[in-house]
Amino acid sequence: MGKWGFDFFSCKCVSQLLLFLLLLLFLPICSPLSLGFYAVSCPGAEITVKQTVRSASQMDPTVPGKLLRLFFHDCFVEGCDASVLIQGNNTERSDPANQSLGGFSVIDSAKRVLEIFCPGIVSCADILALAARDAVELTGGPSVVMLTGRKDGRVSLDSNVRPNIIDTSFTLDEMAKLFSQKGLSMDDLVTLSGAHTIGSAHCSAFDDRFDVDSNGKVTKIDALLDREYAAELIKKCPHGSSDDSVTVSNDPGTPFLFDNAYYKVLLSNKGLFQSDSALVSDKRTVGKVNEFANNQESFFEKWQESFLKLSSVGVKGEADGGEIRRTCSSPN
């Protein structure tokens, strides 16, 4: 036991701190990110975001999955700069690929509170990053020591969306190429795909795995998809992609719990998307899928590292033309 009544080096926060120090090695020298960025300027920033996410999640259990997906779509286009939050014609948010995104109101709520107590201090980009981090923790996943100090981007173009986001029909090579462009590895790809352990999707997101004939009959055409699971999906989406009022959980077993069940689902050939199934049909990734399916702690440890890397993609500071928006849905 240490002087203060606990063994500091047995604390999980030590491993997170080591991950943080490791990440610093990969950050540019001029990176605006740091630990405890708001400790003086707005000490209640992180707890305010967490309380907002918790309250929203208690009212709607689909909120954590929506926030996590929103963060992914933000970081992969223009970097983690909250550009996806900007409303208007020809913005990222207006692109058809982002029409099913949700969680915007949660970010707006946290921003309104922070603008009361810390006006002009906390960026929407940091609020979104913290909200995604908290979404994982509040659904049973690992806590991540987050770096903050992001500035909000001023550019948001719908033309930048499609070339930069993962489509559910992508092959492993297509996904790996895009991840590599963001500075993320194949292991990061497998790990961050674990975000699908929470959340849901519209029928249109996996309609490429089925065929609809002229009479409207839906049949399975993807050999990688479990037959019984395919039959369940057909029942839930009897009209194929034509009915977007229907949603299906990414993880049929524990859809509101962040755990390693997603990887077990993949090994049972019950991954919802073609891009999910690609992870178990290739020797470059199936080993990591097996590891995570058999060891949740291993998944959680790798998630902390990969999520920190994701949250550092393309961040902007004042030197990059970044700002602190007064309202998250529009630049100043």
Side-chain angles (χ1 to χ4, degrees), residues 35-200:
L35 189 62
F37 182 83
Y38 298 110
V40 175
S41 60
C42 189
E46 294 199 24
I47 191 63
T48 297
V49 174
K50 178 170 287 188
Q51 289 174 342
T52 304
V53 174
R54 179 185 287 112
S55 177
S57 301
Q58 289 172 344
M59 293 187 291
D60 179 1
T62 68
V63 162
K66 291 175 179 177
L67 289 172
L68 196 51
R69 182 168 178 247
L70 184 61
F71 185 57
F72 271 74
H73 278 237
D74 182 49
C75 292
F76 266 69
V77 184
E78 291 290 341
C80 305
D81 66 348
S83 55
V84 75
L85 304 181
I86 297 177
Q87 288 184 307
N89 296 329
N90 303 317
T91 62
E92 293 173 32
R93 188 166 172 175
S94 71
D95 187 85
N98 284 337
Q99 289 298 293
S100 62
L101 292 177
F104 296 99
S105 62
V106 181
I107 307 303
D108 290 339
S109 294
K111 178 63 171 176
R112 282 194 295 269
V113 174
L114 289 169
E115 282 298 300
I116 294 173
F117 295 101
C118 311
I121 298 297
V122 184
S123 69
C124 299
D126 274 341
I127 293 173
L128 179 52
L130 291 170
R133 182 272 304 268
D134 296 337
V136 171
E137 182 181 349
L138 292 170
T139 50
S143 175
V144 179
V145 178
M146 282 290 288
L147 304 172
T148 44
R150 299 166 187 79
K151 294 297 187 292
D152 299 321
R154 301 171 188 266
V155 177
S156 181
L157 299 173
D158 56 354
S159 58
N160 290 336
V161 175
R162 297 306 178 95
N164 286 289
I165 62 170
I166 300 292
D167 189 89
T168 55
S169 64
F170 270 17
T171 65
L172 182 62
D173 285 336
E174 288 173 320
M175 291 189 288
K177 180 180 179 180
L178 194 52
F179 266 65
S180 178
Q181 291 171 356
K182 312 301 177 184
L184 300 169
S185 68
M186 189 76 81
D187 279 356
D188 293 323
L189 166 57
V190 179
T191 304
L192 293 172
S193 293
H196 287 168
T197 192
I198 56 176
S200 60

